[in-house]
Structure formats: structure tokens, C-alpha cells
């Protein structure tokens, strides 16, 4: 009587371990909430069931341990300045600049150099996004993964491309101190 | 024969997944080297057991020793003591020698102030500011090695 239950419990525990390991190491799916990444990623209609309320994306975590991210990637990161009431909640922004780069803050004449170990993230929808323009460069350790593809809704399935806004960033070659305009790491 | 190999492979894979889940969500061992937490921790190296639940459920308090990702290099882990949490205001000496240059710092929401126990040898929040809570990896509970200095923190 107890044997099938025990067998089911063992199989369920093993499956749970495998799923948790996959979502920790390989990647996970996420539903977009909020409009800060429009038009790239969108929040859906309120009428839809909650899980499919917005674009559903897959983000990979394989590049996370070595922090091999490129300028222009759409990344997921832990919240920077809110109380950690939900430790699993993530925000999605585009990585604009890395340590050592000079960034021109849009809409003003300020230029910031990104300190060591930090990065500059911005949402594609500048009007609505709370990002580095509000709280400055953030530690790269907060970045948890890179968004690679959109899987829902069906008419928007496709890759999420690496795009760098023109004229905003000047890159510093750390070895020869020459300022260039191309992404040296990812080409 | 192939089914035996497949079964062994599945068992090893299951074991790997269980070990990963324990390591990532319950607790892990870390070998910590460096002078910044002297005399609490040895400069030559200690094997510490960290647990993950405190950080995940926001039970980190002032006075706890934590391991975190360094804000200056995310590939490096640092081990410091929490001196203040969000909303606290602390008086900080930027240089331990200059006693009359103290300044008050208000810790912003979602951040903690980390400082090493040896202020002369430690590079910490006095240099790179309050650390976001999300960078914390775990709270140090036990020192396991060297065996004669076994200790619960």
C-alpha cells in the first residue's frame, strides 16, 4: 500500500531537484511586468490570465558565473534599491556600459565614468524606466542572467537582440587607454 | 549492460542535483583567507560553513558575519561583518587614524554596511559605500577548520 506512494515521493523529489538545478544553472522563464523595456518587451493585456499577462522570455544563466556580458545585452538583475521583500523578484534592463566606460546620461550634459566592478543599465522606454539614470552605476554582481528569446505571445516569438544606443557610450580600451566607439569584447 | 550504465548515470546525475540544491539553497563551505577580519578569523585561512536561509528570508542582523560578492569585482567573494542595515545611521571613520574626521552615513533602502574587524587592513564599505542586499551570499555560522578553533558565530 505504501510502496507506490513511496515510489511517487522519491520520483517527485528527484524531479524537483533536477528542475531546481536547471533553473539555477541553465536558465529560466519569466513574465514581463511593467513597460520599462517597451517596445522590445511588453506587458500584456490585463484580460489575459496572469501567467501570460506579458511577454514570456527565457533568460540564460550560463554566462552568469563568469559575468561574460556584452554591452547592449538585455539582462535580468536583482533589485538595487528596494527592500528585499521578495528575494526572487528581478528587473529587466539593457546593459549599456561596463567598468571604465564613459556614459552620456540621456537628456542632460552629464558624463559619468563607470567605476570598477559596476555597470550602467537602462530600460528601452526612457520615460517610464527606473534605472541607472536614477540610481547611478550598479554592481555587476547584481546581474543574474541574459534574456535570449521571447517565447510568448506567438506573433512576437524571436531572439532578443543585442543593441547599443548610438552616441551614448564611449569605450575605453583598458590596455592601451585609447577611446574607441566599437565593442571590443564581443566582436 | 547499457541499461546498467544508464542507471548509474541517472544516479550520479541525481546526486549532483541534490548536492547542488544543498549548496545553493541550504548551506555551503567556504575557505576564507585574508587579514581583514582579524582577530575574529585567521589571516592564514579558515574553513567556514555558511547558511543561505538568513539571507534569503532577510534575517541578517547587525553584528552578523556575512559572505558577499564584492561590489568592485563580482567574481570575488568578501567576508565582512554587518555594521548597519537599511534605515540605520552610523558614524564612520574614513581613516582609522583620523579620529576627528567622522562622518554620518544613512544606509539607503535595500543596502547594508559591511566592515572588516581589522579597520587598518580591510577594504570595505568605507571605500565602496553601502552594499546592496542582493549581493549577500550567506551568513557565517561555524568555523570548521583549523580543528582546534572550532567555533559557532
Amino acid at each position: 500500500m505504501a510502496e507506490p506512494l513511496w515510489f511517487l515521493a522519491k520520483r517527485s523529489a528527484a524531479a524537483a531537484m533536477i528542475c531546481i538545478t536547471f533553473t539555477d544553472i541553465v536558465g529560466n522563464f519569466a513574465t514581463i511586468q511593467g513597460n520599462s523595456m517597451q517596445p522590445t518587451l511588453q506587458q500584456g493585456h490585463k484580460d489575459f490570465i496572469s501567467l501570460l499577462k506579458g511577454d514570456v522570455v527565457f533568460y540564460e544563466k550560463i554566462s552568469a558565473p563568469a559575468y561574460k556580458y556584452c554591452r547592449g545585452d538585455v539582462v535580468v538583475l536583482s533589485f538595487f534599491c528596494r527592500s528585499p521583500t521578495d528575494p526572487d523578484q528581478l528587473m529587466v534592463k539593457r546593459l549599456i556600459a561596463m567598468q571604465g566606460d564613459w556614459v552620456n546620461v540621456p537628456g542632460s550634459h552629464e558624463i559619468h565614468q563607470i567605476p570598477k566592478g559596476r555597470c550602467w543599465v537602462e530600460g528601452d522606454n526612457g520615460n517610464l524606466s527606473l534605472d541607472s539614470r536614477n540610481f547611478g552605476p550598479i554592481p555587476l554582481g547584481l546581474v543574474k542572467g541574459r534574456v535570449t528569446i521571447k517565447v510568448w505571445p506567438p506573433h512576437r516569438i524571436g531572439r532578443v537582440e543585442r543593441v547599443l544606443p548610438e552616441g551614448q557610450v564611449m569605450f575605453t580600451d583598458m590596455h592601451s587607454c585609447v577611446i574607441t566607439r566599437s565593442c571590443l569584447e564581443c566582436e | 549492460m547499457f541499461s546498467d550504465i544508464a542507471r548509474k548515470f541517472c544516479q550520479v546525475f541525481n546526486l549532483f542535483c541534490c548536492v547542488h540544491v544543498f549548496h545553493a539553497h541550504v548551506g555551503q563551505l567556504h575557505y576564507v583567507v585574508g587579514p581583514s577580519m582579524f582577530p575574529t578569523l585567521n589571516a592564514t585561512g579558515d574553513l567556514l560553513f555558511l547558511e543561505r536561509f538568513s539571507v534569503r528570508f532577510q534575517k541578517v542582523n547587525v553584528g552578523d558575519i556575512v559572505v558577499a560578492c564584492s561590489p568592485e569585482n563580482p567574481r570575488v567573494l568578501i567576508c565582512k561583518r554587518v555594521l548597519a542595515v537599511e534605515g540605520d545611521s552610523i558614524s564612520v571613520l574614513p581613516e582609522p587614524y583620523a579620529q576627528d574626521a567622522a562622518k554620518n552615513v544613512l544606509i539607503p533602502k535595500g543596502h547594508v554596511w559591511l566592515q572588516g574587524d581589522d579597520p587598518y587592513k580591510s577594504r570595505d564599505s568605507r571605500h565602496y559605500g553601502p552594499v546592496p542586499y542582493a549581493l549577500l551570499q550567506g551568513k557565517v555560522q561555524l568555523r570548521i577548520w583549523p580543528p582546534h578553533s572550532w567555533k559557532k558565530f
Side-chain angles (χ1 to χ4, degrees):
Chain A
M1 181 69 177
E3 269 203 38
L5 279 178
W6 174 239
F7 180 79
L8 190 64
K10 272 201 321 190
R11 283 283 183 265
S12 307
M17 297 285 157
I18 294 173
C19 287
I20 294 175
T21 305
F22 182 87
T23 56
D24 283 346
I25 295 182
V26 180
N28 203 355
F29 295 93
T31 306
I32 302 296
Q33 295 172 339
N35 290 320
S36 65
M37 282 297 292
Q38 274 188 341
T40 314
L41 302 173
Q42 294 190 1
Q43 180 173 253
H45 292 287
K46 294 195 201 57
D47 303 330
F48 284 13
I49 58 172
S50 61
L51 203 61
L52 300 179
K53 242 180 167 169
D55 285 2
V56 177
V57 298
F58 179 76
Y59 62 95
E60 55 95 359
K61 294 188 177 180
I62 300 183
S63 38
Y67 295 94
K68 280 205 174 313
Y69 300 110
C70 288
R71 300 167 183 87
D73 280 341
V74 176
V75 294
V76 298
L77 45 149
S78 303
F79 275 113
F80 173 72
C81 57
R82 300 198 200 167
S83 251
T85 46
D86 184 355
D88 292 329
Q89 207 175 10
L90 301 168
M91 57 180 186
V92 182
K93 301 289 173 206
R94 197 176 291 275
L95 188 62
I96 302 291
M98 307 282 267
Q99 67 185 20
D101 295 346
W102 294 87
V103 174
N104 179 27
V105 180
S108 84
H109 294 293
E110 298 170 16
I111 299 188
H112 290 273
Q113 186 177 31
I114 313 293
K116 210 171 138 206
R118 298 193 181 227
C119 61
W120 187 272
V121 295
E122 281 183 17
D124 286 353
N125 187 351
N127 298 329
L128 287 179
S129 173
L130 194 67
D131 48 36
S132 283
R133 292 167 304 161
N134 306 94
F135 40 67
I138 59 167
L140 192 58
L142 291 178
V143 177
K144 300 293 178 206
R146 169 180 26 219
V147 175
T148 49
I149 50 174
K150 284 183 284 203
V151 298
W152 182 269
H155 61 276
R156 286 166 58 82
I157 288 180
R159 281 187 56 164
V160 176
E161 298 292 343
R162 176 184 300 152
V163 170
L164 200 54
E166 280 293 325
Q168 192 179 345
V169 190
M170 286 189 292
F171 311 102
T172 310
D173 181 328
M174 302 293 257
H175 301 293
S176 64
C177 298
V178 167
I179 299 183
T180 74
R181 285 190 176 267
S182 63
C183 179
L184 298 162
E185 289 165 5
C186 304
E187 282 175 10
Chain B
M1 189 185 98
F2 287 119
S3 65
D4 280 344
I5 295 175
R7 195 176 309 128
K8 278 273 176 270
F9 176 77
C10 285
Q11 285 173 347
V12 168
F13 184 67
N14 273 339
L15 184 64
F16 167 76
C17 292
C18 291
V19 167
H20 167 82
V21 168
F22 185 87
H23 182 265
H25 297 279
V26 178
Q28 47 187 236
L29 293 175
H30 268 285
Y31 190 68
V32 172
V33 180
S36 65
M37 285 295 291
F38 187 80
T40 314
L41 301 178
N42 296 320
T44 45
D46 287 328
L47 188 63
L48 306 175
F49 177 74
L50 276 71
E51 54 93 359
R52 302 284 226 163
F53 291 125
S54 302
V55 166
R56 196 176 166 83
F57 298 115
Q58 304 102 50
K59 296 256 186 296
V60 172
N61 302 314
V62 172
D64 289 343
I65 304 177
V66 296
V67 167
C69 279
S70 167
E72 296 183 317
N73 185 348
R75 300 186 188 97
V76 166
L77 291 176
I78 56 174
C79 181
K80 307 286 175 205
R81 193 181 291 274
V82 176
L83 284 199
V85 293
E86 67 179 13
D88 292 348
S89 174
I90 66 167
S91 178
V92 174
L93 288 177
E95 291 298 325
Y97 308 97
Q99 293 290 329
D100 46 354
K103 55 175 187 166
N104 277 334
V105 177
L106 178 67
I107 312 297
K109 221 169 163 198
H111 289 67
V112 294
W113 186 269
L114 299 181
Q115 207 163 305
D117 284 353
D118 187 346
Y120 298 93
K121 297 245 173 49
S122 170
R123 188 166 173 80
D124 46 41
S125 285
R126 292 168 301 161
H127 306 94
Y128 42 70
V131 174
Y133 196 94
L135 287 182
L136 299 186
Q137 300 293 310
K139 181 166 126 177
V140 173
Q141 291 283 13
L142 298 172
R143 173 164 57 202
I144 298 175
W145 193 271
H148 55 83
S149 50
W150 212 90
K151 184 175 174 182
K152 179 166 185 342
F153 291 98

